[in-house]
Amino acid sequence: MTTSEASGSEAGVRYEQDGPVATVTLDRPDVLNAQTPAMWSELADISRKMPGDVRVVIVRGAGRAFSAGLDLSVARGEGDSSLPVLARLSPEECADRIAGFQDAFTWLRRPSLLTIAAVQGHAIGAGFQLALNCDMRVLADDARFSMAEVTLGLVPDLGGTKRLTELVGPSRALEICVTGRRIAADEAERIGLATAVVPRDDLDGAVADLAAAVLAADPGAVAEIKALVSGATGRSYEEQDRAEREAQTRRMRDLAKLE
């Protein structure tokens, strides 16, 4: 397999591809990968340029932490996408700007991709939501989640609330969001936020093993299964049964190479 690297280091994001596996790395370790609108723009651009042969995307953070969340310079008012600037836009313009930020996160839910967050250290606010938008989260034993937007008087707005609610239920999700408290790796595993928790030194190997297991499966079946599972909570039993029948019919026809 070949390895290629895309630009993006100036924005604090690195993209590498090894065959069907792409790795997206937040690369501002000196500030614990605190996120900026420039990083979000780069993440969205990566999603648009990603080759169609990519099947697995691994999202990780360089250094001691996955991501400490929103860069405080954005909250303080530096740049044309700072919170004070956004607040002065019309409600429609502000919502449109936030929709652009969301694009950096929500592409990780794309049906054709299986996405894995490799989380060490802090994953706070936007960092937590980045991990939540991934299909699976493998945590080092020093990982800490926190939905800290409430500490700034804000709400989570980067695609994290629905996935969080689906994973832990509405009561627990509400408690996590309104308190902004830290969730240690062992609790994250216990309440369903973590796919697995491993020693810090084993994180890369565990993620690589998971990616290899996904790649060993039929890609069409993986895409259909992801769609079934992702949509299950929004369907009744009868609707889910029908979705399964339709998906299985597509798979059998595809395997038989029927039009």
Side-chain angles (χ1 to χ4, degrees), residues 25-234:
T25 304
L26 305 184
D27 194 18
R28 301 182 71 210
D30 53 323
V31 290
L32 301 182
N33 301 313
Q35 298 179 36
T36 65
M39 294 176 74
W40 297 339
S41 178
E42 184 64 27
L43 286 169
D45 195 45
I46 285 172
S47 76
R48 290 187 288 268
K49 295 179 179 178
M50 185 172 291
D53 61 344
V54 172
R55 291 182 54 198
V56 176
V57 176
I58 298 168
V59 182
R60 57 185 298 273
R64 295 188 293 118
F66 182 73
S67 174
L70 183 68
D71 192 304
L72 290 180
S73 66
V74 178
R76 286 195 300 263
E78 298 175 18
D80 60 4
S81 292
S82 66
L83 299 185
V85 170
L86 292 177
R88 289 193 291 270
L89 298 175
S90 71
E92 295 77 15
E93 290 174 317
C94 185
D96 286 345
R97 189 75 65 87
I98 294 171
F101 299 157
Q102 289 174 332
D103 288 343
F105 294 71
T106 57
W107 68 271
L108 292 163
R109 307 196 300 253
R110 190 180 297 169
S112 61
L113 300 173
L114 200 297
T115 55
I116 305 169
V119 182
Q120 82 282 4
H122 293 298
I124 298 172
F128 188 12
Q129 293 188 78
L130 186 63
L132 282 169
N133 275 281
C134 291
D135 298 311
M136 304 180 191
R137 286 152 296 283
V138 180
L139 275 57
D141 53 13
D142 67 345
R144 298 290 185 273
F145 284 142
S146 174
M147 197 70 89
E149 284 81 0
V150 70
T151 64
L152 297 174
L154 300 172
V155 304
D157 64 344
L158 298 170
T161 56
K162 179 173 172 59
R163 179 62 59 80
L164 179 62
T165 302
E166 290 172 345
L167 290 170
V168 303
S171 178
R172 179 67 72 193
L174 179 61
E175 179 264 330
I176 288 170
C177 290
V178 301
T179 65
R181 69 178 178 85
R182 301 294 170 89
I183 302 168
D186 58 347
E187 182 185 359
E189 185 173 36
R190 187 172 67 251
I191 66 177
L193 288 174
T195 305
V197 175
V198 299
R200 174 68 178 265
D201 290 345
D202 296 341
L203 180 61
D204 290 344
V207 171
D209 288 346
L210 180 55
V214 172
L215 292 174
D218 182 282
V222 170
E224 291 281 12
I225 291 168
K226 177 173 175 176
L228 284 170
V229 173
S230 297
T233 56

